[in-house]
Amino acid sequence: MPAPLTDRSAARWLARAALVALVTSCAPARVVVRGQELPVAEAEGLVRVDLSAERAALDGLPPAERAARLEAFAARYPGVPAAAEAQHEAARAWRAAGDVPRSAAALGRLLVDHPLYPEATQAKYELALTDLELGRARDGLATLGSLYGRLPEVERAAAARATAEAAEAARAWPEAVRWWGEAALRSTAGPAREAALARVEQVVDARLDGLAVARLLESLPQDSPALPTVAMKRCRILVHVRDWAGAEAAARDLLSRWPTSPWAADAQAALDRLARLTAVRPDVVGVAVPLSGPFKRWGEVILQGIGLALGEGAGVRLAIRDTRGEPDGAASAIEQLALEEGAIVVIGGVANAEAERAAATAEELGVPLLSLSKLEGVTEAGPFVFQHMLTAGAQARALADLFMGKRGLKRFAVMYPQVAYGVELAGAFWDEVEARGGEVRAAESYPIDRTTFTPLVKEMVGKRWLDERTDFVEGAREVAAREPDPFRRRKALEKLRDGLAPVVDFDAVLIADFARNVKLITPALAVEDVLTTTCLPDEVRRVEKTTGRRDLRAVQLLGGNGWGSDPSLFDLAPGGAGRHVRCAVFVDGFFAGSTRPETRRFADAYQRKYGAAPSILEASAYDAVKLARAVIEGGQARTRAALRDGLAGVKGFKGATGDLTVGPTRVVEKELFFLTLDRDGLRELTRAELASPGAGGGER
């Protein structure tokens, strides 16, 4: 039998017991019946006759009226056993009338006034049920637990169910499992038993942590039908925390003790899964990438980069699964690679939609994942998840390091589209600027499909809302005083407006967008006299002479890796878009035209094999495999945990995307590529230029 719950309700019962003792000691020795004062023992027979007559008179009356008259009858004969029966019947009549509070009060008086009442256990049971109905779950739970063992066998199934419901209402989840198990034990095979066991499963799965499960396994009665469910939960918890030996022992124990349990099949499946999970093939590298669906092309080029890395040695072999670019597909692919192929590491989780699920699955299975997603925070899934892909945060930090840390810029304007790429990059850069004591003086966002940017630039440089500019307001006042003719006044105001200088109170403009919109935004900046030719002082002087303004100052134009999405942005032919991005600097995680030795070697090899220049996807996949191979072939990793530790210790690894170091959050850190456009075309900034305090990319 389950042990009763002890809580503050016990104190209430102690108080009741003290009151019972006090009342009993003061109970009347004699009572008046039919006008005679008689000893209680002699009065009992007459009161019982009168009670029979009273019952007959009450037959057919509404429950509330019957209850009131029975209570009045009981009050006339304190201490007489027959009066206790009347009080009990009154409590039941109040309950039948729907007045649960008065029923509870009547039962309380019964138990205090008649502590030796033969049906006291039943009355306490009924009082506990009224407590539950009145929301006093813990009181009801304490009462039910204390009297359960004294109830008749025929009532115990219902009482156990009531106690389980009381435990749930009190949020005493281990007690709920205990009592639902008792309810199942006391129920005959059929719907009632199945319902109780189903509730055991629901509570165990949703409400119990590892400590509660362990305690229940030790404290539940050995005949409790809840035990197999709790034991299976324990096995799953051990799998979750990657205690493979403990999980195997738990599954075998369940099979041994409850071979016919509904959980036996699950325990056997867990053993089979554990056997596959712990059977690691140290030479197998898993690849989980989209090979169908909208991201199919990503998966194809990633495999090309991986293939190039594998061609440079034969230390490992590949196992490949299609993720479809979807969360479920990624989870299934990683599970198959871990359980069916025994992969010691998995590379993939590319699309943002699948990245988190891929990371969670890899962490659950304890298989290292080198994620190729740019999603921020993907490594937060746990210590088995690494990330090797350019993120918005990495780009923002690199730009801020160069232009704030080395070149001393403090004030910025930001333009970005209302899509994830733009919002993430602009937000990350804004955070970096403010964290370093800088200021974002202007910010303009727009739909990704916008085609006209002049109004946004006008607003950014104070040429749209002219009534907020003192120089225009004063000039307009002078024009109004000087020109009475409406036509001439309008022409003078237009000239005044067109001659206004832009308010350029920022040192640089970040366009956190793709090349398509950069080709539209940069001409709009030029039209509004926002000079961005920081590396061409002669050009600045020419504009000064043309406009007659001596206060011109070029601002630095900045961008992210989205600029590299269309090479035509850097076209320097007459009429090409390149003339508007001369001197701009944008950051990327890979540049096929780089002169870095490892980058050059990879790019040339890729060009020879596939006839095209590689992108960051192929380069990152190439590096990921090279990293994994270096750890595997270095003899450091025969298990997944060892490979995880080996990856975590990587420092200064020479890769196509740079010198790679795994940081404390397991994100691969490296020196990014800063690119600029000069008269010879797109090129990477040299180390000397990056170290220089001067602005711009530099013309050479």
Side-chain angles (χ1 to χ4, degrees), residues 51-89:
L51 178 58
S52 297
E54 184 74 6
R55 286 170 176 157
L58 297 177
D59 190 33
L61 292 181
E65 187 174 343
R66 291 182 70 249
R69 288 181 58 174
L70 284 167
E71 274 199 300
F73 181 91
R76 290 199 298 271
Y77 306 110
V80 178
E85 293 182 17
Q87 184 72 7
H88 199 170
E89 291 176 25

Side-chain angles (χ1 to χ4, degrees), residues 361-382:
T361 303
E363 183 63 29
E364 179 184 354
L365 296 174
V367 56
L369 170 68
L370 269 165
S371 173
L372 298 179
S373 168
K374 64 183 180 64
L375 187 69
E376 299 278 0
V378 70
T379 63
E380 293 175 5

Side-chain angles (χ1 to χ4, degrees), residues 23-39:
V23 171
T24 302
S25 65
C26 301
R30 302 173 69 83
V31 65
V32 177
V33 181
R34 301 180 185 178
Q36 302 178 65
E37 186 177 284
L38 300 173

Side-chain angles (χ1 to χ4, degrees), residues 231-255 265-281 335 338-340 342 364-366 640:
M232 193 67 228
K233 173 76 170 186
R234 174 66 173 162
C235 178
R236 288 171 176 165
I237 290 173
L238 292 170
V239 169
H240 180 70
V241 300
R242 290 188 290 276
D243 181 353
W244 311 133
E248 181 180 357
R252 292 193 185 283
D253 182 61
L254 194 157
L255 279 172
D266 292 74
Q268 185 60 58
L271 286 174
D272 296 342
R273 181 182 176 88
L274 285 165
R276 289 181 288 142
L277 189 58
T278 54
V280 178
R281 298 185 177 97
E335 185 167 316
L339 301 181
E340 297 175 7
E364 179 184 354
L365 296 174
R640 288 167 178 153

Side-chain angles (χ1 to χ4, degrees), residues 428-482:
F429 184 72
W430 199 324
D431 289 343
E432 287 290 335
V433 168
E434 292 188 340
R436 297 164 189 251
E439 182 181 5
V440 174
R441 301 299 298 271
E444 300 292 341
S445 68
Y446 44 86
I448 188 65
D449 57 353
R450 185 178 181 119
T451 57
T452 304
F453 290 91
T454 298
L456 288 183
V457 175
K458 282 182 177 290
E459 185 168 340
M460 189 170 70
V461 298
K463 295 181 68 174
R464 187 172 185 186
W465 311 111
L466 300 180
D467 55 347
E468 297 179 1
R469 289 188 58 163
T470 303
D471 53 353
F472 178 78
V473 172
E474 291 177 353
R477 190 180 297 118
E478 292 175 4
V479 168
R482 184 177 69 245

Side-chain angles (χ1 to χ4, degrees), residues 331-390:
S332 176
I334 291 175
E335 185 167 316
Q336 291 172 30
L337 290 168
L339 301 181
E340 297 175 7
E341 301 291 345
I344 193 170
V345 64
V346 175
I347 295 166
V350 187
N352 282 4
E354 66 184 7
E356 288 186 345
R357 186 72 177 280
T361 303
E363 183 63 29
E364 179 184 354
L365 296 174
V367 56
L369 170 68
L370 269 165
S371 173
L372 298 179
S373 168
K374 64 183 180 64
L375 187 69
E376 299 278 0
V378 70
T379 63
E380 293 175 5
F384 280 86
V385 181
F386 299 76
Q387 185 176 31
H388 180 42
M389 182 53 67
L390 182 65

